[in-house]
Amino acid sequence: MPQQSAASLDSIAKAIAPQLTQLNQRIMLSLQSSNEMMNGIIAEYLRQKGKQIRPITVILCAQLFSAQTSHHVISTAAAVEMLHNASLIHDDVVDESKMRRNEPTVNGIWDNHIAVLVGDFFTSTSLQLANETGDIRIIGSLASLGRQLAMGELDQIYNARYHLLSIDAYMRTIERKTASLFIACAEMGAFAAGCQTDDPRLAALREFARLLGLCFQITDDIFDYSTEADTIGKPTGNDLREGKVTLPLLSVLLDPTVEGRDRMRALVTRDSLTPDQIRELIDFAIANNGITRARQTIQTLAQTAAQTLTAAFPDSPARTNLLALLTHILARHK
């Protein structure tokens, strides 16, 4: 397990502040258009941009291979951020979500038609940015990522629609819908910094990123069982409302020693749940240590991630910051 670090995401961002300034300037420049409506939407997006964990990952992984942050690294980080945000915009349309991070979504302010077009605009911008690097490996990684994200969402819909209760299916889904993005960040950052395809360190970096992404998503899934919806910016029980059974509840439902699980398994196979039933499922997961089980899984994954990174790369500011990012993900509350 990574040692607890005083380094917060803010301190990581401070360490690479010049690169993040270049990143945001590059994003702003790439999103300019001749359409006033689009420019208004872009201005709102830039105002409420998230923590930028994915482009930060790109930059830090690039720094493992080169002390200099090139223009290609910045374009790559911007490309990842654009595709990530395109996927969020499209997800909000699919999920009919009107709020994200306590802010109105694009479809919440405008409508689904405009949101889909904005997501398409972001996707095209992402491809343009990747193309600027002239590295076919980066372009290929981004294209593969788009497929993985789409398949992850389809897996999730399938699992919910057919009530597939399986740890393996759950892990496969979150690997595609979340971990694939972190893997792409890692390898694209390495490629942009000049890493060769046959570099043996690349496989270790991909594995670290995969585990980092799994930790991120399981932590996010735990939030659905929180009583602090206002703090996390996500309504409690939202996943269950959409038929998604994630690890905190899944681990309990699959434990034959847990009393009352048969009734709860029958409950989650219903096509829709009432607020009282959702509350009952949340209480059942909490009472039977579902959150504790999920956090234990995260700790195991995080320990392996830290060992993988430190075995492959010598001590450096980039490695320290990547380990601090892992610690941040374990400790985050939203």
Side-chain angles (χ1 to χ4, degrees), residues 2-285:
Q3 294 182 351
Q4 289 301 310
S5 169
S8 64
L9 189 61
D10 287 342
S11 65
I12 297 170
K14 184 176 180 180
I16 57 171
Q19 291 85 357
L20 290 180
T21 297
Q22 293 176 52
L23 168 73
N24 287 304
Q25 289 173 343
R26 190 71 196 87
I27 289 173
M28 186 181 301
L29 182 64
S30 69
L31 290 173
Q32 289 181 351
S33 81
S34 59
N35 185 283
E36 289 188 15
M37 179 187 294
M38 179 65 78
N39 289 337
I41 295 170
I42 298 305
E44 180 63 16
Y45 156 76
L46 292 171
R47 182 190 68 79
Q48 56 171 287
K49 67 179 184 293
K51 298 175 181 177
Q52 299 188 316
I53 288 176
R54 286 83 180 171
I56 286 173
T57 302
V58 172
I59 292 167
L60 293 179
C61 288
Q63 289 181 344
L64 287 173
F65 295 89
S66 174
Q68 300 298 319
T69 303
S70 68
H71 177 75
H72 286 173
V73 172
I74 298 302
S75 292
T76 300
V80 167
E81 182 73 344
M82 288 295 91
L83 188 61
H84 170 56
N85 279 278
S87 72
L88 295 182
I89 292 169
H90 286 158
D91 287 351
D92 289 335
V93 172
V94 172
D95 297 337
E96 299 181 359
S97 300
K98 304 301 182 184
M99 299 289 291
R100 180 179 289 274
R101 307 189 197 102
N102 289 323
E103 296 276 4
T105 58
V106 176
N107 55 305
I109 297 174
W110 301 90
D111 57 35
N112 284 348
H113 185 193
I114 290 175
V116 169
L117 293 173
V118 172
D120 291 346
F121 182 76
F122 275 39
T123 300
S124 299
T125 302
S126 172
L127 292 170
Q128 283 186 323
L129 287 162
N131 189 56
E132 286 180 6
T133 67
D135 191 329
I136 194 65
R137 300 173 303 170
I138 291 174
I139 298 168
S141 182
L142 193 72
S144 176
L145 172 60
R147 286 173 57 93
Q148 290 294 314
L149 294 176
M151 288 304 301
E153 288 300 320
L154 286 169
D155 284 345
Q156 185 167 262
I157 291 169
Y158 178 89
N159 294 347
R161 183 166 296 179
Y162 295 100
H163 311 295
L164 184 58
L165 302 178
S166 160
I167 296 292
D168 287 344
Y170 167 78
M171 296 300 289
R172 183 168 57 249
T173 297
I174 68 172
E175 183 159 335
R176 283 176 167 173
K177 68 169 281 189
T178 303
S180 64
L181 183 50
F182 284 90
I183 295 169
C185 288
E187 66 181 17
M188 290 168 69
F191 291 152
C195 173
Q196 297 301 307
T197 307
D198 59 355
D199 191 318
R201 296 173 295 174
L202 193 56
L205 185 59
R206 285 193 182 106
E207 179 61 6
F208 167 79
R210 185 183 74 87
L211 296 168
L212 180 73
L214 294 178
C215 289
F216 186 97
Q217 186 58 54
I218 297 172
T219 301
D220 203 55
D221 290 341
I222 289 172
F223 294 157
D224 205 48
Y225 296 81
S226 171
T227 58
E228 302 174 351
D230 290 340
T231 300
I232 64 176
K234 174 183 176 182
T236 301
N238 198 51
D239 287 342
L240 287 170
R241 198 170 293 112
E242 297 172 1
K244 303 169 188 173
V245 181
T246 55
L247 193 59
L249 178 59
L250 187 60
S251 62
V252 175
L253 292 176
L254 295 177
D255 184 346
T257 68
V258 172
E259 185 178 351
R261 76 176 186 124
D262 290 341
R263 178 177 178 278
M264 294 300 165
R265 283 173 67 106
L267 199 58
V268 297
T269 60
R270 297 188 179 189
D271 290 336
S272 63
L273 296 168
T274 67
D276 286 344
Q277 289 169 337
I278 290 172
R279 184 71 257 170
E280 188 177 5
L281 286 165
I282 290 173
D283 291 343
F284 176 75

Side-chain angles (χ1 to χ4, degrees), residues 1-5 208 211 215 295-310 322-324 326-331:
M1 187 179 78
Q3 294 182 351
Q4 289 301 310
S5 169
F208 167 79
L211 296 168
C215 289
R295 291 203 182 281
Q296 288 171 343
T297 297
I298 292 170
Q299 290 295 328
T300 300
L301 294 170
Q303 182 175 12
T304 304
Q307 291 170 347
T308 300
L309 189 70
T310 54
L322 280 168
L323 291 174
L326 177 60
T327 299
H328 164 78
I329 284 173
L330 300 187

